[in-house]
């Protein structure tokens, strides 16, 4: 057996999570460069500055990440003197801002800390980065074994964020459970992969149990136990699974379909990643002939307004032929317990349309 090291980041969650900066960060140096989204930094800046006041920590500069998680923006950030002289990086914002900082930190060998300001994905806890072209089209995954040192999850900021991020994030999160367990089916897993697959259950059950109430509290811009549980599922549970399993178990039909259907202009223009992935989970469960879980996820999606049929994502069945040709060849289907074919996917989509007509409520 090869020797290997597993890195799981620690995290702090709560309305006053940033107060822990003064306890956790000084051991990594003094100079900090903060990089993130414009709105995100506006929300977090005063709280971060308050947290480092009267310490030896110094925020040298707040820098906009560039708007896209692209290598071109990483190269620009490398040129900042504050980046070159900083002891550590604070990554502030959503997935693209945090992944930009992550790729930057990996490239220049600096420790980084994440400050998610929305709960839409697990980027703030993972070592994996998603990289795009400057025009927003997907480029590639950036692999590393180094996750953030610590994640500071301020529930107050997330509660005040637009609800569509939490809404879509729930769809992307429960996908992790179904994709991990199905892709790993019938495989004798080593300890770390088995641990990740077992943890994936915590990506679905809290979402289904607490998601509706969490979304209501997000709409009211208040923190609550239900909202915190859902935030933890989206950011921490999913991130822990992603850090534990090999890429083969990190995706399946739901993400394979997203990666190809996103080429349709109406998807890119009007629909969020997790929203489309939620629809893909229903296609996955239909393909898998898992009627019990299909019913459970279908009811939940209908309850909170996640898509359950093609019309919900502004797609016509006639547009799916070219999409499914690419889906069948997706790298997200590298590990699957049965061959996933274009015909199987098309049949599942048609059957899901019929299921919608039979279960309108």
């Amino acid at each position: 057996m090869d020797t290997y090291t597993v890195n799981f980041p620690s995290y702090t969650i709560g309305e006053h999570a940033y107060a822990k900066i003064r306890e956790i960060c000084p051991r990594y140096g003094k100079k900090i460069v903060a990089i993130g989204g414009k709105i995100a930094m506006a929300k977090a800046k005063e709280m971060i500055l308050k947290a480092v006041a009267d310490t030896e920590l110094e925020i040298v500069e707040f820098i906009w990440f560039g708007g896209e998680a692209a290598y071109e923006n990483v190269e620009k950030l490398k040129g900042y003197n504050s980046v070159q002289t900083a002891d550590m990086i604070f990554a502030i914002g959503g997935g693209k801002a945090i992944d930009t900082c992550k790729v930057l930190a990996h490239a220049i060998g600096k420790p980084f800390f994440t400050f998610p300001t929305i709960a839409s994905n697990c980027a703030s806890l993972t070592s994996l980065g998603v990289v795009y072209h400057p025009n927003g089209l997907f480029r590639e995954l950036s692999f590393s074994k180094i996750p953030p040192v610590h994640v500071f999850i301020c529930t107050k900021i997330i509660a005040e964020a637009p609800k569509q991020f939490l809404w879509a994030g729930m769809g992307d999160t429960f996908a992790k459970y179904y994709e991990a367990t199905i892709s790993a089916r019938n495989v004798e897993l080593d300890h770390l992969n088995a641990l990740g697959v077992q943890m994936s259950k915590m990506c679905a059950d809290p979402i289904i149990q607490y998601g509706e109430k969490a979304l209501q509290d997000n709409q009211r811009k208040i923190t609550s136990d239900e909202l915190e549980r859902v935030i933890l599922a989206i950011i921490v549970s999913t991130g822990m699974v992603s850090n534990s399993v090999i890429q083969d178990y990190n995706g399946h039909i739901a993400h394979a379909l997203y990666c190809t259907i996103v080429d349709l202009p109406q998807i890119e223009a009007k629909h969020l990643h997790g929203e489309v992935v939620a629809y893909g989970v229903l296609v996955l469960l239909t393909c898998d002939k898992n009627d019990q879980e299909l019913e459970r996820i279908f009811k939940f999606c209908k309850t909170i307004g996640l898509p359950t049929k093609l019309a919900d994502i502004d797609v016509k069945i006639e547009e799916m032929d070219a999409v499914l040709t690419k889906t069948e060849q997706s790298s997200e289907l590298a590990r699957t317990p049965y061959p996933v074919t274009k015909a199987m996917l098309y049949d599942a989509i048609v059957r899901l349309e019929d299921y919608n007509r039979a279960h309108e409520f």
Side-chain angles (χ1 to χ4, degrees):
M1 293 292 292
D2 291 335
T3 300
Y4 64 94
T5 299
V6 179
N7 294 303
F8 282 136
S10 54
Y11 64 91
T12 300
I13 185 168
E15 290 194 30
H16 306 291
Y18 294 177
K20 293 293 183 178
I21 292 172
R22 61 178 55 224
E23 297 178 20
I24 294 166
C25 296
R27 73 194 72 167
Y28 297 92
K30 297 178 181 179
K31 291 185 177 181
I32 301 162
V33 61
I35 304 171
K38 292 179 180 178
I39 295 175
M41 289 192 296
K43 293 285 186 182
K45 184 175 182 178
E46 292 305 315
M47 295 174 67
I48 291 175
L49 289 173
K50 181 179 179 181
V52 302
D54 302 320
T55 73
E56 292 188 348
L57 296 169
E58 175 191 3
I59 308 290
V60 178
E61 190 172 5
F62 284 85
I63 306 172
W64 179 49
F65 79 102
E68 194 56 73
Y71 289 128
E72 289 81 358
N73 286 326
V74 172
E75 289 303 314
K76 289 178 184 177
L77 290 166
K78 285 182 184 178
Y80 279 81
N81 183 65
S82 56
V83 172
Q84 296 170 9
T85 59
D87 297 312
M88 67 196 85
I89 297 170
F90 280 10
I92 306 167
K96 289 190 174 183
I98 286 173
D99 278 350
T100 302
C101 297
K102 186 184 301 177
V103 174
L104 172 66
H106 292 157
I108 63 179
K110 292 185 187 289
F112 68 105
F113 301 79
T114 60
F115 297 76
T117 55
I118 56 175
S120 62
N121 55 59
C122 62
S124 58
L125 201 108
T126 65
S127 57
L128 179 73
V130 183
V131 183
Y132 298 83
H133 292 284
N135 63 3
L137 293 178
F138 172 77
R139 178 179 273 171
E140 64 183 9
L141 298 177
S142 174
F143 293 97
S144 171
K145 294 293 186 182
I146 305 173
V149 176
H150 194 90
V151 186
F152 296 92
I153 308 168
C154 177
T155 52
K156 183 178 189 300
I157 290 177
I158 294 175
E160 294 173 355
K163 72 171 186 176
Q164 67 263 31
F165 295 117
L166 186 78
W167 172 75
M170 288 194 279
D172 199 30
T173 298
F174 62 64
K176 184 66 73 177
Y177 169 59
Y178 297 105
E179 292 191 306
T181 53
I182 290 174
S183 61
R185 184 182 294 165
N186 302 327
V187 178
E188 185 176 352
L189 301 172
D190 61 22
H191 176 268
L192 187 58
N193 281 285
L195 178 65
V197 171
Q198 288 297 317
M199 284 193 294
S200 71
K201 188 173 178 61
M202 288 297 291
C203 300
D205 289 353
I207 298 291
I208 307 307
Q209 183 172 354
Y210 304 110
E212 184 179 8
K213 175 62 162 52
L215 203 59
Q216 292 169 355
D217 293 336
N218 187 192
Q219 173 101 38
R220 296 164 60 199
K221 302 189 183 304
I222 61 171
T223 59
S224 66
D225 178 65
E226 291 85 356
L227 179 59
E228 184 170 305
R229 287 173 182 267
V230 170
I231 291 170
L232 286 167
I234 293 171
I235 295 175
V236 176
S237 298
T238 310
M240 290 292 192
V241 175
S242 180
N243 286 340
S244 300
V245 302
I246 61 172
Q247 189 58 29
D248 286 358
Y249 308 133
N250 256 320
H252 202 260
I253 286 173
H255 276 85
L257 183 59
Y258 169 80
C259 289
T260 52
I261 202 171
V262 75
D263 290 340
L264 298 177
Q266 65 269 36
I267 298 294
E268 178 66 26
K270 298 172 60 177
H271 298 283
L272 297 170
H273 172 90
E275 174 189 1
V276 180
V277 169
Y279 168 75
V281 171
L282 296 175
V283 176
L284 168 59
L285 293 172
T286 304
C287 282
D288 203 51
K289 297 181 172 58
N290 191 333
D291 295 339
Q292 183 175 346
E293 289 302 301
L294 175 63
E295 179 182 4
R296 182 167 83 131
I297 296 301
F298 181 86
K299 285 182 177 179
F300 178 73
C301 287
K302 294 293 281 188
T303 298
I304 69 168
L306 282 170
T308 62
K309 57 184 182 294
L310 288 175
D312 293 339
I313 51 174
D314 300 298
V315 175
K316 297 179 180 178
I317 190 70
E318 295 81 13
E319 297 177 277
M320 292 304 294
D321 184 72
V323 168
L324 296 180
T325 297
K326 293 181 180 180
T327 305
E328 181 184 39
Q329 302 165 359
S330 173
S331 61
E332 297 285 350
L333 298 173
R335 190 71 64 95
T336 179
Y338 40 75
V340 177
T341 65
K342 177 180 177 180
M344 174 194 287
L345 293 166
Y346 185 85
D347 177 68
I349 288 169
V350 171
R351 285 191 286 128
L352 184 56
E353 295 293 304
D354 292 339
Y355 190 91
N356 272 268
R357 286 188 283 271
H359 294 83
E360 290 291 345
F361 66 89

